Amino acid sequence: MKFIIIGKNIEVTPGLRAAVEDKIGKLEKYFTPETEVHVTLSVEKDRQKIEVTIPVKGSIIRSEQVSNDMYVSIDLVEEIIERQLKKYKTKLIAKEQSRGFFKQDFIEKDYLDDEEVQIIRTKKFDIKPMYPEDACVQMELLGHNFFVFCNAETDQVNVVYKRKGNTYGLIEPEV
């Protein structure tokens, strides 16, 4: 695995780099040697945050963890990503799709899916064309954290969502 480690408001010391590579490096049994792992370490007041992003074909495996100790955050994020990988592996539609990123023994090994995804409710609604700002207002009125709408500017389905710090995000399909 190839590590790309950057720091925001923190210097990436050799000790931190070694901790990240040792802990996240335990996941290399699931990936090919060419797989890139993007790690961002950041500090805001007493918050020690680590963000790990691993791009794989057609998807992204990502986790972020915050604690008051960077080494604790590193430990937590490794556990979360390993759990995500086991779930992701059970959801692979075709084994051929993953050959470029995952080792063959990981694909073939059977993991028990103790946290199976269950859809318990389906909701249908009319998607009305509106601007992203209007969608944010509608989302707030409904008291939801996200809102699906048809963007009046692009005529495509978009999603607005609430972010930390009372800001909003917009998800648009890539064409």
Side-chain angles (χ1 to χ4, degrees), residues 76-136:
L76 292 172
V77 82
E78 184 269 336
E79 293 170 9
I80 299 292
I81 288 181
E82 188 159 24
R83 194 172 325 128
Q84 286 177 344
L85 283 171
K86 290 176 182 177
K87 278 179 139 179
Y88 179 73
K89 181 256 175 181
T90 61
K91 305 302 179 217
L92 289 176
I93 296 168
K95 290 182 182 180
E96 296 297 323
Q97 182 180 16
S98 62
R99 288 208 191 277
F101 292 95
F102 295 103
K103 290 185 177 176
Q104 193 61 34
D105 60 341
F106 173 59
I107 293 169
E108 291 171 356
K109 188 174 178 185
D110 210 15
Y111 290 96
L112 296 174
D113 193 7
D114 56 351
E115 297 177 19
E116 189 173 313
V117 175
Q118 292 182 343
I119 297 173
I120 58 170
R121 184 175 176 206
T122 301
K123 190 174 186 179
K124 294 183 180 186
F125 59 96
D126 281 335
I127 297 181
K128 297 182 173 105
M130 62 178 69
Y131 294 97
E133 294 78 15
D134 298 331
C136 289

Side-chain angles (χ1 to χ4, degrees), residues 145-160:
N145 293 328
F146 68 94
F147 187 75
V148 179
F149 68 102
C150 179
N151 191 326
E153 296 169 341
T154 63
D155 205 32
Q156 291 183 321
V157 174
N158 288 186
V159 177
V160 289

Side-chain angles (χ1 to χ4, degrees), residues 40-103:
T40 304
L41 307 173
S42 61
V43 176
E44 298 172 15
K45 297 182 183 172
D46 292 336
R47 296 170 30 117
Q48 309 276 325
K49 181 164 97 174
I50 180 172
E51 299 174 47
V52 178
T53 306
I54 307 170
V56 293
K57 185 176 185 177
S59 188
I60 293 175
I61 297 168
R62 184 181 185 287
S63 180
E64 71 178 52
Q65 290 298 311
V66 179
S67 72
N68 58 359
D69 181 356
M70 187 60 78
Y71 293 97
V72 171
S73 296
I74 293 168
D75 289 345
L76 292 172
V77 82
E78 184 269 336
E79 293 170 9
I80 299 292
I81 288 181
E82 188 159 24
R83 194 172 325 128
Q84 286 177 344
L85 283 171
K86 290 176 182 177
K87 278 179 139 179
Y88 179 73
K89 181 256 175 181
T90 61
K91 305 302 179 217
L92 289 176
I93 296 168
K95 290 182 182 180
E96 296 297 323
Q97 182 180 16
S98 62
R99 288 208 191 277
F101 292 95
F102 295 103
K103 290 185 177 176

